[in-house]
Amino acid sequence: MSAPARVRCPPPPFCCRSTRRPLPYAGPPLRRARPRPAPFQESPLPALLKRTPFWVQILGGLVIGVVLGLIARNGDVNWLTETLTRIGNIFVQLLKLAVPPLVFTAVLVSVANLRNVTNAARLALRTLMWFCITSLIAVSIGMLLGLATKPGDGVHLKAAALPDELHKGSWVDFITGIIPTNVVDAFSEPNVLQIVFLAVIVGAASLSVGEKADPLIDFSRVVLEVVQKALWWVIRLAPLGTLGLIGKSVATYGWDLVRPLGTFTVDVYVGCALVMFVVYPLLLALVGRVNPVNFFKGAWPAIQLGFVSRSSVGTMPVTQRVTERLGVPRDYASFAVPFGATTKMDGCAAVYPALAAIFVAEVYHVHLGIGDYLLIAFVSVIGSAATAGLTGAIVMLTLTLSTVGLPLEGVGLLLAIDPILDMMRTATNVAGQVLTPVLVASREKILDLDAFNSPRDLEDTDEPSAKADAPADNSRELAGV
């Protein structure tokens, strides 16, 4: 079959190439193209939150909570008060949910990690030594404030009913209460002090057994990481929890309840502030020879979260993270921070019981001698372990009053304003729990000064540098001190 003859184009202007318009399409009809959907635009809010430092988010939640609390109280808006209460309670319940597995695995792993730490016994002893030194300084400040201001003068309040468990406050009850009668009960209540006891025993036994206990330690590490990850998701809700907790406190209490106990409340806040912003910076500058400003830059997210959550144990993952980012080696921080979260309480176990003992003695007209004040200091330093848990300050106060021989009914006078006092107490506790590892690491020359002098924001998802896991080789120059 021959090829079709080629058609020659006519000369211009009749040639198809001479016209700009294309020739008409003679094929099958074309479907009209559907309009493309507009590209999905993400909300700018998540990006804004990622760019906003965590402490700014918490501060924003605090300010909004105060405003909403004032509106609920002054406007008598009951539904707003209930909403703020529910938001705060849900946040605290989520924190409490992680306490038993977090404490057990953290303490067990921290004890097991001592075999990876050079001079572990030396570091542990120095940690305990600084726990005692800072507690002694804090309780001295509390007693001096109490003697100077006399917070119990002119207070005539009816004591609130004491819970049954708080009537047992002797040293015998404390010591026997450490040992659980049932492992399940220790975790279900939960009794943090008993959980710590079990974890220390299991951790020490694992060290004694050696390599055969590695599967148990590895499993505990995995559980700890999972719990910390889940708790970190809860902590990311801290700005919302702050809004609810602070809003509820303002809407419920206001100044009506604080006014009769105003001097005592101010004393607690001033005493904790002196410890946190005067004693700690002096120790950092003179003993640790590091810049206190950089310390507070790095530790502030944990301090803020402790203020609003009122739980040192619930704040522990953030406390450990900021401690590592301040240059403390991870192996040492994983021991010092969990240990401090259950025993290092300069606010709850030092400043507060000293002031409260003087307050109760003045209210009930009981004279305290020099021996009584020395006994208060001794109880505060040695009995800090009694503060482990969520109602530690009340237990510590009960222990102090029973030791000195003061009426336990005095605890009931302070139960009503305890949530207001507990915020500042817990913030001081958390600051001290970060301070001690930094001091010890600095004195032992294992603190990474580069990481300490350039603290990163908590929202930075990068893992801590490897420098934090090894002794620092940089010079021991003063960082602005």
Side-chain angles (χ1 to χ4, degrees):
M1 182 177 180
S2 60
R6 187 173 183 180
V7 179
R8 182 176 298 177
C9 290
F14 305 102
C15 179
C16 63
R17 295 190 181 93
S18 63
T19 60
R20 293 184 178 179
R21 291 180 300 177
L23 294 176
Y25 177 75
L30 295 176
R31 293 182 179 179
R32 180 174 296 180
R34 296 181 179 178
R36 289 186 177 181
F40 175 74
Q41 296 182 354
E42 294 184 357
S43 172
L45 185 59
L48 179 62
L49 290 177
K50 289 182 179 179
R51 293 195 301 267
T52 305
F54 190 63
W55 67 270
V56 175
Q57 297 179 30
I58 293 182
L59 184 62
L62 188 147
V63 172
I64 296 174
V66 170
V67 172
L68 292 178
L70 290 174
I71 293 174
R73 183 171 182 81
N74 297 331
D76 197 18
V77 186
N78 294 330
W79 67 266
L80 182 56
T81 303
E82 293 178 0
T83 302
L84 293 172
T85 302
R86 289 183 182 276
I87 293 174
N89 289 343
I90 290 174
F91 179 70
V92 173
Q93 287 173 3
L94 289 173
L95 287 176
K96 289 181 179 179
L97 183 64
V99 166
L102 177 68
V103 172
F104 182 80
T105 56
V107 174
L108 191 156
V109 171
S110 66
V111 173
N113 283 342
L114 287 177
R115 64 182 178 184
N116 300 325
V117 180
T118 306
N119 297 325
R122 177 186 177 90
L123 289 176
L125 288 176
R126 284 187 172 270
T127 302
L128 285 173
M129 180 188 73
W130 281 108
F131 280 1
C132 295
I133 291 174
T134 52
S135 295
L136 184 60
I137 296 173
V139 73
S140 300
I141 290 176
M143 288 190 292
L144 290 175
L145 272 176
L147 292 173
T149 60
K150 299 185 182 301
D153 280 355
V155 177
H156 303 286
L157 297 177
K158 184 179 179 180
L162 281 176
D164 293 337
E165 62 269 16
L166 294 183
H167 285 283
K168 299 178 181 180
S170 67
W171 279 98
V172 176
D173 294 327
F174 166 65
I175 295 174
T176 56
I178 295 177
I179 304 174
T181 57
N182 190 321
V183 175
V184 177
D185 290 342
F187 283 86
S188 61
E189 289 182 2
N191 189 317
V192 178
L193 197 57
Q194 294 180 356
I195 295 175
V196 171
F197 174 81
L198 291 173
V200 171
I201 296 299
V202 175
S206 300
L207 288 177
S208 179
V209 170
E211 295 181 355
K212 295 180 180 179
D214 286 346
L216 174 62
I217 297 175
D218 293 339
F219 175 75
S220 299
R221 286 197 178 98
V222 173
V223 174
L224 178 60
E225 290 183 7
V226 171
V227 174
Q228 286 182 329
K229 187 65 175 179
L231 190 56
W232 175 246
W233 292 340
V234 176
I235 291 170
R236 291 290 290 113
L237 301 174
L240 190 60
T242 303
L243 185 151
L245 292 169
I246 297 298
K248 173 211 170 184
S249 298
V250 173
T252 304
Y253 301 111
W255 286 104
D256 296 339
L257 190 60
V258 180
R259 191 179 295 112
L261 300 171
T263 303
F264 180 78
T265 303
V266 171
D267 282 351
V268 172
Y269 271 74
V270 170
C272 290
L274 287 175
V275 171
M276 189 162 34
F277 299 116
V278 176
V279 174
Y280 289 172
L282 286 176
L283 290 176
L284 288 166
L286 300 178
V287 178
R289 300 184 66 80
V290 292
N291 190 348
V293 176
N294 290 335
F295 170 81
F296 282 104
K297 284 182 180 178
W300 198 248
I303 296 173
Q304 273 194 321
L305 183 60
F307 183 85
V308 298
S309 68
R310 298 165 45 208
S311 172
S312 298
V313 175
T315 312
M316 186 168 62
V318 177
T319 306
Q320 183 166 339
R321 179 174 295 196
V322 300
T323 304
E324 293 175 3
R325 295 191 176 194
L326 283 171
V328 178
R330 179 174 296 178
D331 286 337
Y332 171 55
S334 65
F335 161 75
V337 172
F339 188 52
T342 54
T343 58
K344 169 66 174 168
M345 306 283 181
D346 287 344
C348 292
V351 176
Y352 175 69
L355 280 168
I358 295 175
F359 169 82
V360 173
E362 292 176 349
V363 169
Y364 289 94
H365 305 288
V366 178
H367 175 72
L368 296 178
I370 297 178
D372 295 319
Y373 292 116
L374 293 176
L375 190 57
I376 292 173
F378 174 79
V379 173
S380 298
V381 173
I382 304 300
S384 296
T387 61
L390 302 171
T391 59
I394 300 175
V395 176
M396 185 65 196
L397 177 56
T398 306
L399 183 63
T400 304
L401 296 182
S402 63
T403 302
V404 182
L406 293 172
L408 288 180
E409 289 77 10
V411 181
L413 296 175
L414 304 174
L415 283 179
I417 62 169
D418 190 73
I420 298 174
L421 305 177
D422 201 23
M423 294 186 291
M424 190 63 177
R425 292 187 317 229
T426 308
T428 308
N429 296 341
V430 172
Q433 292 157 14
V434 182
L435 171 83
T436 301
V438 171
L439 284 181
V440 174
S442 179
R443 296 289 295 176
E444 295 295 318
K445 298 183 179 181
I446 58 175
L447 181 70
D448 182 3
L449 291 182
D450 291 336
F452 182 90
N453 293 329
S454 55
R456 293 179 293 166
D457 185 73
L458 195 64
E459 293 298 303
D460 188 357
T461 56
D462 295 338
E463 291 295 325
S465 61
K467 296 179 182 179
D469 296 323
D473 296 329
N474 46 6
S475 62
R476 300 285 305 165
E477 296 180 358
L478 286 179
V481 177

